[in-house]
Amino acid sequence: MDTLATRYEQVLERKTQAAQRAGRNPADITLVAVTKTWPAETIMAAYDVGMRHFGENRAEELAEKRPFVTPHIAPPDAITWHLIGPLQSRKTSLAAAHADVFHALDRLKIATRLAQQVGDLQRRLPLFLEVNVSGEMSKSGFAAHNWEKDATQQEKLRTIVRTVMEMPHIQLVGLMTMAPWDVPEEEIRAVFRRTRALAGWLETAVPHLSLPYLSMGMTDDFEIAIAEGATHIRVGRAIFGDRET
Ligand SMILES: *Cc1c(COP(=O)(O)O)cnc(C)c1O
């Protein structure tokens, strides 16, 4: 039987191997353990075997679990809580209060609300801009499926980035993307590669912008993402097993 500890070790080993194949330092890649749908007890068990970065995709779920787990860990900030799924505007206050990092900014309205609410709480929030590079309709994120050629798309992305950069209390730190499922590996790889290239282009197109982080790669594709420059991988099933929902 696979224990949680064994699975975690296996994922860490795969991450290390993928980093070494790419000539990268494994320590430069943060493994975010995705605990959505799993109870707070699972997070505490995961903490006990060494995990320190946890990802939830719904703000309500994060707001429920974090206060439950925090009293059991020392120091209380030993865990970094990542909100990895898109936010609805009526949920931004939950994210402002409970997320340490937000991976899925996909509308300016959300950024405006977060900047206000994070400031009111005297917190700060690093965030990733989610970009839809694959062009799949089902994916959220700012449109970037043709960013290399489409001047309008370029201008929009540049404006979005500039606008977010000027907001107080939130800090744009990178791009996040999701690859399509059930497509050939080369297509997945291309999405990650193009996301990295987009971050590079934005850094040259927007003065004073630095986008050091790339959040990309999940259970089925994190090794490809690492080869293409991911600094944050978001892995659920490979660590915790299949979710029921
Ligand atoms: C669920 C989820 C993941 C993790 O997916 P797995 O296939 O379980 O590794 C990563 N990112 C986001 C945004 C998710 O919602």
Side-chain angles (χ1 to χ4, degrees), residues 94-114:
L94 294 176
H98 298 284
D100 297 318
V101 186
F102 176 42
H103 289 240
L105 181 69
D106 64 352
R107 276 174 296 154
L108 283 177
K109 182 183 174 191
I110 300 294
T112 307
R113 291 176 64 94
L114 283 173

Side-chain angles (χ1 to χ4, degrees), residues 102 124-128 164-165 167-174 210 212:
F102 176 42
R124 57 179 289 283
L125 184 66
L127 48 81
F128 292 78
V164 175
M165 275 173 82
M167 294 183 185
H169 314 297
I170 58 175
Q171 190 196 356
L172 184 58
V173 296
S210 165

Side-chain angles (χ1 to χ4, degrees), residues 2 4-27 29-31 185 188 192 216-228 230 233-242:
D2 277 357
L4 185 56
T6 315
R7 282 188 170 145
Y8 175 50
E9 288 305 321
Q10 284 165 351
V11 170
L12 279 183
E13 182 56 27
R14 285 170 58 191
K15 166 181 173 285
T16 298
Q17 299 274 335
Q20 283 169 353
R21 280 196 299 274
R24 303 182 55 199
N25 182 351
I29 302 151
T30 300
L31 171 61
E185 181 177 322
I188 295 172
F192 294 148
M216 49 190 207
M218 317 185 358
T219 288
D220 292 329
D221 55 23
F222 74 83
E223 284 142 313
I224 306 170
I226 289 172
E228 299 304 330
I233 55 173
R234 311 175 310 267
V235 180
R237 287 170 300 131
I239 300 172
F240 300 105
D242 285 333

Side-chain angles (χ1 to χ4, degrees), residues 40-86:
E41 287 76 12
T42 304
I43 300 179
M44 292 190 285
Y47 178 83
D48 286 339
V49 301
M51 291 176 238
R52 293 294 180 267
H53 290 264
F54 293 99
E56 291 287 339
N57 71 328
R58 292 169 58 239
E60 314 85 291
E61 214 173 312
L62 171 65
E64 208 177 286
K65 292 178 191 172
R66 182 174 184 164
F68 193 90
V69 171
T70 300
H72 299 275
I73 59 171
D77 62 357
I79 289 178
T80 303
W81 298 87
H82 299 252
L83 182 62
I84 60 174

Side-chain angles (χ1 to χ4, degrees), residues 137-162:
M137 298 288 280
S138 60
K139 297 269 188 284
S140 46
F142 290 101
H145 51 275
N146 199 20
W147 75 264
E148 295 93 336
K149 298 194 184 109
D150 183 339
T152 310
Q153 211 162 73
Q154 289 180 355
E155 189 46 42
K156 277 189 186 158
L157 288 162
R158 209 163 31 198
T159 304
I160 289 156
V161 164
R162 271 200 302 256

